[in-house]
Amino acid sequence: MSIEFIGIAATAPHSETEIATEPTDPVQPGYLEELARAHEEAGFDRVPVAHSSASPDGFTVADQVLSRTQRLGVLLAHRPGFVAPTYAARKFATLDAFQPGRVAIHHITGGDELDQKRDGDFADHDRRYARAAAGALSA
């Protein structure tokens, strides 16, 4: 059994314990690059690229991490139902073609109902899981 060390990819500095006093740009390319390179230099294997209704596009963020590092991988969150399955597969395959073996997928059927609705997904828990299972069976 192998162990992977996983860090975090973020496009801007933030903390759950501090209240921002001024608005900040949610995409700070320099910050993401510095964070990705620090993870690579520290020996991390990959960084997750999260998905939420307030997050920047994960495929773009993943591409930026991969393009600015040599071996660091990404764990890209994907919510089935937001992107057509064939198009999502093409997007993942394209990332993998440019950065072979450095892309992993984390299928997230959904968690927070309000966040799902903010992204336009009004399916309840059971419907989301059935949709994800149907997509897996048709692949």
Side-chain angles (χ1 to χ4, degrees):
M1 175 157 93
S2 64
I3 296 174
E4 284 191 339
F5 289 92
I6 300 177
I8 182 87
T11 57
H14 67 282
S15 170
E16 291 80 16
T17 61
E18 296 177 9
I19 297 173
T21 56
E22 296 179 22
T24 60
D25 189 344
V27 178
Q28 297 178 26
Y31 179 79
L32 177 64
E33 181 174 359
E34 184 179 333
L35 188 62
R37 288 189 175 173
H39 277 82
E40 184 166 71
E41 290 171 14
F44 282 78
D45 296 300
R46 76 181 63 247
V47 291
V49 177
H51 177 95
S52 77
S53 62
S55 299
D57 176 63
F59 285 95
T60 304
V61 172
D63 177 66
Q64 294 299 302
V65 169
L66 296 168
S67 296
R68 286 165 169 67
T69 58
Q70 297 299 309
R71 59 152 204 83
L72 185 68
V74 295
L75 176 61
L76 182 52
H78 172 66
R79 287 185 181 173
F82 288 92
V83 178
T86 54
Y87 186 54
R90 187 173 336 138
K91 290 167 70 92
F92 286 116
T94 302
L95 275 177
D96 186 61
F98 280 104
Q99 305 291 343
R102 294 175 63 195
V103 180
I105 304 166
H106 181 200
H107 292 276
I108 302 173
T109 306
D112 182 272
E113 297 284 331
L114 185 58
D115 193 56
Q116 292 288 126
K117 290 176 182 176
R118 281 192 295 260
D119 256 345
D121 187 0
F122 295 91
D124 65 17
H125 175 275
D126 293 344
R127 282 186 52 213
R128 288 195 314 268
Y129 275 78
R131 176 179 62 203
L137 294 175
S138 65

